[in-house]
Amino acid sequence: MKLRVTFGLPTGQPFPFSTPLIHLHLPYSSKTSNNCLIRSLFSFEFRVFSSINPSSLHFPSIMSMFDSDTSSQGNGDKHFRQISRDRLLYEMIRSAKRPDSKSSNWKVLIMDRVTVKIMSCSCKMADITDEGVSLVEQIHKRRQPLPSMDAVYYIQPTKENVDFLLADMAGKAPLYKEAYVFFSSSVSKELVADIKKEPTIKCRLRGMKEMNLEYFAIDNQCFITDHGSALEELYGDEEFSRKGDECLTAMANRIATVFASMLEFPFVRYRAAKSLDPTTMTTFCDLIPTKLAAAVWNNLMKYKTLNHFPQIETCDLLILDRSIDQIAPVIHEWTYDAMCHDLLEMEGNKYVHVVPSKIGDGYERKEVFLEDHDPVWLELRHSHIADASERLHDKMTNFVSRNKAAQMHGRDGGEMSTRDLQKMVQALPQYNEQMDKLSLHVDLAGKINGIIREMGLREVGQLEQDLVFGDAGTKDIIKFLKEQDATDEQKIRLLMIYVATHPEKFETDKLAKILELADLLPEDMKAIYNMRFLESAPDSMNTSNSGFPLKFDNKKRRGLRKDRPGEEAAWQLSRFYPIIEELIEKLSKNELPVNEYPCMNDPSPTFHGASHSVSARVLDAPAAHSMRSRRATWARPRNSDDGYSSDSILRRSASEFIKRRGKRIFVFIVGGATRSEMRVIHKLTAKLSREIILGSSSLDDPAQFIEKVKALTPDPPPTEEEIAIDDLEI
């Protein structure tokens, strides 16, 4: 007899939600319980708050935290995603077992659509099965009764999910023996009352806990709240402000669970509403960071009642919105990571790699994931594409020259000694693994460089950066549109940058003439015109920081960026930096002006040794100067490595977090974060010796952002064409 087993991906690989299942047939053992059917649909893991006595169902709206090793001291040695993973795996799944039971403790894991995605962001296939989960189900689907097995529920605290829970566990014939219930966020008293009304469920609930983990850890230092339509709901028509308030409330609830998970209590700082003069009306868009900060603060006040939640400030949170930097989402970012997601066809982090077939002369499609488990990706992802290409070439060259199996693989049929054959066999597994990794990235970099050449992206990128730094203007745009054969996407992105640096063009007919010259479709023009929804007023830091200057002096530069002192660009087209880089550095030095970035807290003198309100000074802006005379070359020579050094990156990345000093900094951007902002987060973590965590409503690539900006204004209703009777043909 054989037992049919269904897995998602090979052990150790991330498990995407949409991946089809792979069915295996394993020999059946009579000692194996019939209920040990392994049918894992996704990948996962958890952390917890204290249990409720199921006999009394005493369930306060916010429970004290589970007294475990995940105290604030323990969290300091783990990076953000690791803490999320450990909470899911150890505090939830591992805690849901019978310590006095002699059975195998196999259990069923049941989740909803949101918690499935949360789990798959943090955990891998082997993690969940190692903790005794033999079956994963979705709560909204019909399921097979397994009355001899316990169930672990990880669900959002919604009326629909509670109804599903009661349908599963109440009555005379429950689906499962007993249940452990974990809510992803705070549960309301009304839902608790609904559970308490059902008398038969009390003896079947072994525990109910509030996990307060409802965010999506998409990177070691980045999370999203998965509100992909936030830009449209918050920055569109003013009539939809009620829908915008609901979006901000849901977003705040998920942001607050980050701090519950991390056991951090932040100083909540936010970009203040712009105020041009006392008569200017403040709009809903102006108040987005203020409203979100207030909602996050209200949630944090509830968490302060938890046993281990800090009572004084332990970190910084800075809440911004997309209007702080309109350039970052559309400008060409020239790092390997950004180029992959911008120019290649990728689904999230999944890339379909076409490789020569090992059987026959054809090709096969192989799905790969560009994530932290790949050491080559981890080493090169934030490198300039030219730098990454050179280093990959060096790695491949040195690997082939030093690896014995690779050398023999390239021989032309010469005789090999027994010793040579032995060495080849010994080296072959490592050869195949390393060669697959390097070949993947060499292929990716080659495709990216080919696209850059074919599309003339260097010229486009140069003009983009010249616009941002004030070295180009309207004449350069007109010249480019007349002389260059650019794609529509290149024109759209270039013109979005142009109107961000020249907002006064909205008030003249010159923009219409430029758009006519660009020969864009009406729906594409919407992306350019809708950039006006993301305007922000200038602040005292200088016009390079965010927003559009109120008045322009045509004799002076209009750049929204100024070259940073001491940071000469090592590579061509790498001058650009996101605004959050300046803001985070000033926040770290306690130099953000409090009138522009106020704090929700009463400042505590114990944090950084001084009150936040004490320091309101602003760094002097560096003098502007052109880089035309010292523009960097596209490529430069580098020292080679042996092709194996990437493996040490994984080890170093873990140890660097253990050595982290200082308090964490959280930055949240409403309206979507970018790859360039992720790069800055990793860069400043090393530079400032403080773990910096980026959060946003979503992570958008340029094409996604453009579509969202287009959606800020609805399409006009189709007009019916009048037809004369004489035109009809019968």
Side-chain angles (χ1 to χ4, degrees):
M1 181 181 291
K2 291 185 177 180
L3 172 66
R4 181 178 180 180
V5 184
T6 308
F7 288 94
L9 285 178
T11 300
Q13 294 293 319
F15 202 111
F17 180 71
S18 59
T19 301
L21 303 179
I22 301 171
H23 302 285
L24 306 176
H25 292 276
L26 304 179
Y28 178 83
S29 171
S30 59
K31 296 181 180 180
T32 305
S33 168
N34 289 334
N35 290 324
C36 294
L37 176 66
I38 304 177
R39 191 157 61 90
S40 299
L41 302 181
F42 318 100
S43 57
F44 336 88
E45 301 189 31
F46 292 72
R47 153 176 173 185
V48 195
F49 297 114
S50 65
S51 299
I52 301 168
N53 185 341
S55 61
S56 63
L57 270 178
H58 173 64
F59 195 61
S61 59
I62 294 191
M63 291 181 242
S64 59
M65 298 200 71
F66 186 63
D67 195 6
S68 68
D69 61 352
T70 53
S71 63
S72 57
Q73 292 84 356
N75 283 352
D77 292 341
K78 299 176 183 177
H79 60 65
F80 168 70
R81 199 178 199 178
Q82 182 67 40
I83 293 171
S84 305
R85 176 186 179 278
D86 289 353
R87 289 203 61 213
L88 294 172
L89 183 61
Y90 306 129
E91 289 190 41
M92 190 181 77
I93 298 179
R94 183 174 292 183
S95 68
K97 65 181 179 181
R98 304 166 182 265
D100 56 342
S101 175
K102 296 181 180 179
S103 65
S104 61
N105 275 324
W106 287 106
K107 45 191 174 278
V108 182
L109 178 60
I110 301 166
M111 295 175 290
D112 59 36
R113 295 178 181 89
V114 170
T115 53
V116 159
K117 294 173 68 176
I118 293 171
M119 292 283 279
S120 61
C121 283
S122 295
C123 309
K124 292 184 172 58
M125 187 66 197
D127 301 332
I128 185 173
T129 54
D130 288 346
E131 294 303 323
V133 173
S134 61
L135 178 63
V136 176
E137 298 275 19
Q138 296 191 61
I139 194 170
H140 62 278
K141 293 185 177 180
R142 293 187 62 182
R143 284 160 276 130
Q144 176 187 359
L146 296 170
S148 62
M149 297 182 69
D150 291 339
V152 177
Y153 286 81
Y154 178 41
I155 54 178
Q156 293 178 284
T158 65
K159 181 69 167 62
E160 181 186 28
N161 283 343
V162 169
D163 289 343
F164 280 128
L165 170 66
L166 295 176
D168 289 350
M169 298 305 300
K172 296 182 179 179
L175 289 186
Y176 310 105
K177 186 176 182 181
E178 292 180 327
Y180 301 80
V181 181
F182 298 83
F183 289 109
S184 60
S185 58
S186 299
V187 62
S188 67
K189 294 180 181 180
E190 291 75 17
L191 292 180
V192 176
D194 289 343
I195 297 174
K196 295 171 71 174
K197 288 177 186 176
E198 179 53 57
T200 60
I201 202 173
K202 290 185 178 181
C203 61
R204 296 167 185 164
L205 294 184
R206 292 191 59 83
M208 296 181 68
K209 306 176 184 180
E210 284 181 333
M211 283 293 295
N212 285 327
L213 198 163
E214 200 172 288
Y215 56 88
F216 305 81
I218 61 173
D219 181 80
N220 282 343
Q221 293 175 246
C222 184
F223 72 92
I224 60 173
T225 59
D226 201 29
H227 291 94
S229 60
L231 201 72
E232 179 182 355
E233 293 178 5
L234 296 172
Y235 294 91
D237 198 315
E238 284 287 321
E239 295 180 4
F240 295 101
S241 59
R242 181 185 60 81
K243 192 174 183 181
D245 281 331
E246 293 174 355
C247 177
L248 288 176
T249 299
M251 202 180 298
N253 291 339
R254 291 184 177 176
I255 294 171
T257 66
V258 172
F259 297 97
S261 291
M262 303 289 286
L263 291 177
E264 296 270 21
F265 178 41
F267 280 104
V268 181
R269 305 193 68 172
Y270 58 96
R271 183 189 64 79
K274 64 184 179 182
S275 178
L276 303 182
D277 59 71
T279 62
T280 303
M281 179 181 294
T282 302
T283 66
F284 177 84
C285 296
D286 296 333
L287 293 172
I288 286 173
T290 307
K291 286 174 170 283
L292 182 60
V296 170
W297 179 258
N298 289 337
N299 281 280
L300 292 173
M301 290 301 97
K302 298 176 184 178
Y303 289 142
K304 288 194 76 172
T305 62
L306 301 176
N307 286 345
H308 294 285
F309 196 80
Q311 300 302 302
I312 62 172
E313 294 83 354
T314 60
C315 64
D316 282 301
L317 167 63
L318 179 61
I319 295 177
L320 308 169
D321 68 324
R322 193 62 271 167
S323 68
I324 201 75
D325 188 350
Q326 308 88 3
I327 307 297
V330 291
I331 194 170
H332 283 88
E333 166 78 1
W334 293 84
T335 59
Y336 183 37
D337 179 6
M339 289 271 103
C340 283
H341 288 87
D342 191 357
L343 303 182
L344 302 180
E345 294 184 5
M346 294 187 63
E347 182 182 339
N349 290 331
K350 182 175 72 174
Y351 175 73
V352 179
H353 187 210
V354 180
V355 296
S357 176
K358 296 180 179 179
I359 304 175
D361 298 330
Y363 290 86
E364 59 181 318
R365 295 163 60 87
K366 182 179 180 182
E367 291 184 352
V368 294
F369 290 86
L370 302 179
E371 293 183 335
D372 294 347
H373 59 80
D374 181 344
V376 180
W377 172 255
L378 197 62
E379 177 186 355
L380 300 179
R381 60 179 174 172
H382 296 316
S383 301
H384 190 285
I385 182 61
D387 185 21
S389 300
E390 288 189 7
R391 291 163 70 177
L392 284 168
H393 179 267
D394 291 344
K395 284 176 180 293
M396 183 66 79
T397 301
N398 285 291
F399 175 77
V400 172
S401 65
R402 298 186 186 189
N403 188 282
K404 191 68 177 178
Q407 291 174 10
M408 295 181 199
H409 187 73
R411 286 187 178 179
D412 295 326
E415 291 188 12
M416 288 187 251
S417 66
T418 304
R419 183 175 179 81
D420 286 341
L421 285 171
Q422 183 181 14
K423 287 183 178 180
M424 185 185 73
V425 172
Q426 290 172 347
L428 194 56
Q430 186 180 26
Y431 162 65
N432 286 334
E433 180 183 0
Q434 291 289 329
M435 204 62 171
D436 286 346
K437 290 178 183 177
L438 290 175
S439 297
L440 165 65
H441 292 285
V442 168
D443 180 58
L444 289 175
K447 288 182 177 178
I448 291 171
N449 284 312
I451 294 172
I452 291 172
R453 289 190 299 270
E454 291 173 12
M455 300 179 66
L457 288 185
R458 296 181 192 176
E459 292 75 16
V460 177
Q462 189 63 66
L463 181 53
E464 288 176 347
Q465 302 218 8
D466 286 345
L467 283 171
V468 174
F469 283 86
D471 294 329
T474 304
K475 291 182 179 179
D476 301 276
I477 288 288
I478 294 174
K479 180 181 178 182
F480 178 86
L481 293 175
K482 286 182 176 180
E483 298 179 358
Q484 299 293 329
D485 185 20
T487 65
D488 285 349
E489 183 186 348
Q490 292 172 8
K491 295 176 186 177
I492 294 169
R493 292 168 69 168
L494 188 63
L495 290 172
M496 290 174 80
I497 295 172
Y498 172 70
V499 297
T501 55
H502 297 70
E504 77 281 3
K505 300 302 181 185
F506 283 122
E507 310 300 329
T508 68
D509 60 351
K510 182 165 285 188
L511 179 58
K513 293 179 180 178
I514 292 176
L515 290 177
E516 183 179 351
L517 179 62
D519 192 26
L520 295 174
L521 296 173
E523 56 265 31
D524 292 335
M525 293 183 187
K526 287 174 59 178
I528 290 95
Y529 281 116
N530 287 352
M531 286 290 282
R532 68 186 186 274
F533 290 107
L534 300 179
E535 288 184 5
S536 77
D539 54 36
S540 63
M541 294 174 71
N542 60 54
T543 57
S544 78
N545 252 2
S546 65
F548 305 129
L550 184 58
K551 294 182 180 180
F552 285 104
D553 183 347
N554 291 329
K555 297 180 181 180
K556 295 182 179 180
R557 293 178 48 159
R558 320 168 165 261
L560 294 185
R561 299 292 190 280
K562 297 187 183 297
D563 295 316
R564 294 170 62 80
E567 292 195 14
E568 181 177 349
W571 296 92
Q572 186 182 6
L573 308 179
S574 60
R575 291 172 69 190
F576 175 79
Y577 58 91
I579 283 302
I580 65 168
E581 184 167 353
E582 284 187 357
L583 296 179
I584 293 171
E585 288 182 339
K586 291 179 185 296
L587 177 62
S588 179
K589 298 174 183 177
N590 201 20
E591 293 173 344
L592 275 181
V594 293
N595 59 320
E596 294 165 11
Y597 298 92
C599 183
M600 296 293 296
N601 313 48
D602 291 324
S604 169
T606 59
F607 191 72
H608 296 312
S611 168
H612 269 248
S613 62
V614 172
S615 177
R617 66 188 180 90
V618 180
L619 289 180
D620 294 332
H625 58 279
S626 174
M627 297 217 6
R628 289 185 184 274
S629 60
R630 56 182 181 88
R631 189 157 288 151
T633 58
W634 175 256
R636 60 175 180 176
R638 291 187 57 91
N639 294 329
S640 300
D641 56 43
D642 59 5
Y644 293 92
S645 61
S646 296
D647 295 325
S648 63
I649 299 293
L650 291 173
R651 295 189 295 271
R652 288 206 305 271
S653 63
S655 63
E656 285 171 359
F657 277 99
I658 295 175
K659 297 176 182 178
R660 178 179 57 83
R661 300 181 299 277
K663 306 297 182 181
R664 289 185 175 100
I665 295 176
F666 295 81
V667 180
F668 190 87
I669 303 174
V670 182
T674 69
R675 303 281 165 182
S676 61
E677 287 160 341
M678 282 185 64
R679 168 178 57 82
V680 163
I681 293 300
H682 289 96
K683 169 187 172 182
L684 292 183
T685 292
K687 179 179 178 179
L688 303 177
S689 296
R690 296 178 65 177
E691 183 183 3
I692 303 169
I693 298 169
L694 175 66
S696 185
S697 49
S698 59
L699 180 65
D700 297 330
D701 298 322
Q704 295 171 315
F705 181 78
I706 291 171
E707 292 303 314
K708 290 180 179 181
V709 174
K710 289 180 183 179
L712 293 181
T713 51
D715 293 324
T719 57
E720 295 185 5
E721 209 177 309
E722 293 186 4
I723 303 177
I725 293 292
D726 295 338
D727 295 333
L728 293 177
E729 293 184 8
I730 301 175

